[in-house]
Structure formats: structure tokens, C-alpha cells
């Protein structure tokens, strides 16, 4: 099964990426995911279910430890072979 996770961390800071946002980016970029798109207002990552769920666990734990006060995420099952 393939999953896609879309997430944001808060609070926002438009001048400089806060520590929790940097941590979240580092987590998904280091994970064994097939696709990662990191942006200023939202982030998307896609891969096998185990890899995505492991990344989500680390993302939640590490972002909260780094000061996130809210993490919004959505996980979707995607068809094999793409969007």
C-alpha cells in the first residue's frame, strides 16, 4: 500500500523557518520516501505505508519537541504507480 501525507507545522513565521519546521523537513527528507515536496505553507511526502507511517511518527515527536504547537496532517491511500 502507498500513502501520501500532507502536513504543516505551526506557529508560522514568514521571515525565518522556525526550528519545528526545519526538523519536520529534515525528518521527511531523511526518510525512505519516494517523493518529498517541502514548501513554505505545506509539505507532501509519498511512499510505502511502513516508510510513511514511520516518518509521520518521527515528524510528530520531533516537531513537538522542537516547539510546534500544532501539526496538521492528512494521510491518503494512493494508487500504486502514482497520484
Amino acid at each position: 500500500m502507498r500513502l501520501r501525507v500532507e502536513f504543516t507545522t505551526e506557529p508560522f513565521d514568514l521571515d525565518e523557518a522556525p526550528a519545528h519546521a526545519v526538523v519536520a523537513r529534515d525528518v521527511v527528507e531523511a526518510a525512505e520516501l519516494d517523493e518529498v515536496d517541502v514548501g513554505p505553507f505545506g509539505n507532501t511526502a509519498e511512499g510505502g505505508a511502513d516508510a510513511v507511517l514511520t516518518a509521520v511518527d518521527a515528524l510528530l515527536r520531533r516537531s513537538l519537541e522542537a516547539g510546534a504547537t500544532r501539526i496538521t496532517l492528512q494521510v491518503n491511500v494512493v494508487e500504486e504507480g502514482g497520484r
Side-chain angles (χ1 to χ4, degrees):
M1 174 187 315
R2 290 184 57 78
L3 299 176
R4 180 182 311 122
V5 60
E6 300 174 49
F7 66 92
T8 58
T9 62
E10 296 179 44
F12 294 115
D13 183 339
L14 297 178
D15 295 326
E16 184 177 333
H20 58 80
V22 173
V23 165
R25 180 189 66 213
D26 291 348
V27 166
V28 295
E29 288 180 343
E32 295 181 18
L33 301 170
D34 301 329
E35 297 180 34
V36 174
D37 183 21
V38 176
F41 300 107
N43 310 284
T44 305
E46 186 174 313
D50 287 338
V52 170
L53 295 173
T54 297
V56 166
D57 178 66
L59 165 75
L60 292 171
R61 292 175 189 277
R62 293 188 51 206
S63 296
L64 290 167
E65 290 171 358
T69 57
R70 176 188 294 210
I71 302 169
T72 305
L73 65 90
Q74 177 174 308
V75 177
N76 294 301
V77 175
V78 295
E79 291 183 28
E80 293 291 330
R83 298 172 181 238

